């Protein structure tokens, strides 16, 4: 089920603060961004992609990554249907990016240039 309360609260707060329908619409947009997860920190999205809680240890993150990447690795689905292969490749890319960001934040040595 999709979240809806951010939209409602944003609309009401925008309407009350600006006393104009445009304020309600601005609040609705901010509430939608909240509900869609656009305002969530990227770190939490990375943990969510790997299926671990934000307070997970390094070993738990490594274990979850290895388990998921072995499941979605493109070589593993090489003979599958093209749409399944494309989805597995996209998921593997997402997992690799999330793990790299978490590892870069953990190590502190590898910075984006």
């Amino acid at each position: 089920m999709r979240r809806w309360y951010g939209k409602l609260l944003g609309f009401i707060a925008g309407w009350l603060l600006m006393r104009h329908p445009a304020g309600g619409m601005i609040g609705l947009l901010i509430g939608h961004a909240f509900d869609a997860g656009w305002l969530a920190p990227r770190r939490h999205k990375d943990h969510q992609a790997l299926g671990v809680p934000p307070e997970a240890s390094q070993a738990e993150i490594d274990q979850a990554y290895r388990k998921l990447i072995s499941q979605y690795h493109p070589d593993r689905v090489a003979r599958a249907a093209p749409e399944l292969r494309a989805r597995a490749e996209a998921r593997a890319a997402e997992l690799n990016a999330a793990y790299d960001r978490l590892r870069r934040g953990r190590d502190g040595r590898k910075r984006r240039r």
Side-chain angles (χ1 to χ4, degrees), residues 20-109:
H20 193 271
M25 295 307 293
I26 292 170
L28 183 70
L29 289 173
I30 293 170
H32 174 70
F34 174 76
D35 286 343
W38 297 345
L39 303 177
R42 174 173 270 172
R43 181 187 311 156
H44 294 303
K45 291 180 184 178
D46 293 339
H47 283 91
Q48 197 173 39
L50 293 174
V52 294
E55 62 274 355
S57 68
Q58 296 171 4
E60 291 172 336
I61 292 171
D62 293 340
Q63 183 181 12
Y65 170 74
R66 288 188 186 106
K67 179 183 172 190
L68 288 171
I69 201 65
S70 68
Q71 183 179 0
Y72 290 104
H73 197 276
D75 291 344
R76 187 119 186 200
V77 292
R79 297 184 184 196
E83 60 272 357
L84 290 175
R85 199 170 346 137
R87 276 193 280 169
E89 289 173 359
R91 180 75 170 130
E94 177 188 3
L95 291 171
N96 282 327
Y99 182 69
D100 286 343
R101 282 190 295 265
L102 287 173
R103 190 180 64 206
R104 185 174 50 237
R106 176 180 67 198
D107 291 344
R109 290 184 303 241

Side-chain angles (χ1 to χ4, degrees), residues 1 3-4 45 64:
M1 184 171 149
R3 296 191 320 191
W4 54 270
K45 291 180 184 178

